[in-house]
Amino acid sequence: MRHASPITVSAVDLPRLERLLDALPEFGPVAEALDEELAQARVVAPEEIGAVVTMNSRVRCRETDTGKEYQVVLVYPEDADAEGRISVLAPAGSALLGATLGERLSWPVPGGKEQQVELLALEPVEA
C-alpha cells in the first residue's frame, strides 16, 4: 500500500531499515514499495514522532468490513512470529510503517483480496 503523502519515520529506525533493505538478496514488491516510501519519508527525532507507527509500535486495528479488532506489533523480520509480531517486510507491516492514528489502510491478503483496517490506538513497545 502506498501512502497518499510521504510517511514520517524515526531517525533511529531509518538507518536500520535501509540496512535491512540493502542486505536483501532480491527485492520483492513489498521491499520495493518500502524502499520507495523511505526515500521520500520525512525523518524526525524519536521524541518528535507523535502518533505515527514506528518500529516496535503496538497497533490496535479494526477490520472495516467485519469490525473485528486486534493488536499487532511492527517488528524487524527476525523478530516476527505468529503471536501478533508482524514483519515490516510483510504487506501489512510495510503498510503500517509511518501510518497515523485514525488512518485507514489496506494491504493484500491471500486469495487476491485487500484487507482494510482503521488504526485505533498505538503505543511504543520495548524492542
Side-chain angles (χ1 to χ4, degrees):
M1 183 234 159
R2 294 203 43 103
H3 292 267
S5 58
I7 64 171
T8 300
V9 178
S10 162
V12 172
D13 291 341
L14 182 63
R16 187 165 178 200
L17 289 165
E18 289 176 331
R19 284 191 304 273
L20 170 67
L21 291 172
D22 289 344
L24 292 175
E26 60 184 71
F27 261 40
V30 175
E32 191 171 309
L34 179 59
D35 189 49
E36 290 173 13
E37 294 276 10
L38 293 175
Q40 298 176 26
R42 180 176 154 253
V43 183
V44 300
E47 60 273 9
E48 298 172 6
I49 200 75
V52 174
V53 178
T54 62
M55 296 306 298
N56 298 304
S57 287
R58 181 183 327 255
V59 183
R60 188 162 48 99
C61 303
R62 178 176 44 230
E63 294 178 0
T64 57
D65 59 341
T66 66
K68 177 183 172 187
E69 292 186 18
Y70 55 90
Q71 289 188 69
V72 296
V73 178
L74 182 62
V75 297
Y76 292 95
E78 64 271 15
D79 298 322
D81 61 25
E83 301 296 317
R85 297 173 64 85
I86 188 166
S87 169
V88 70
L89 292 179
S94 178
L96 286 168
L97 182 69
T100 56
L101 188 59
E103 187 172 352
R104 289 179 180 245
L105 304 171
S106 65
W107 54 76
V109 292
K113 296 182 180 182
E114 289 278 319
Q115 177 66 59
Q116 296 182 352
V117 301
E118 180 180 2
L119 302 187
L120 302 175
L122 64 101
E123 61 186 65
V125 204
E126 291 300 314

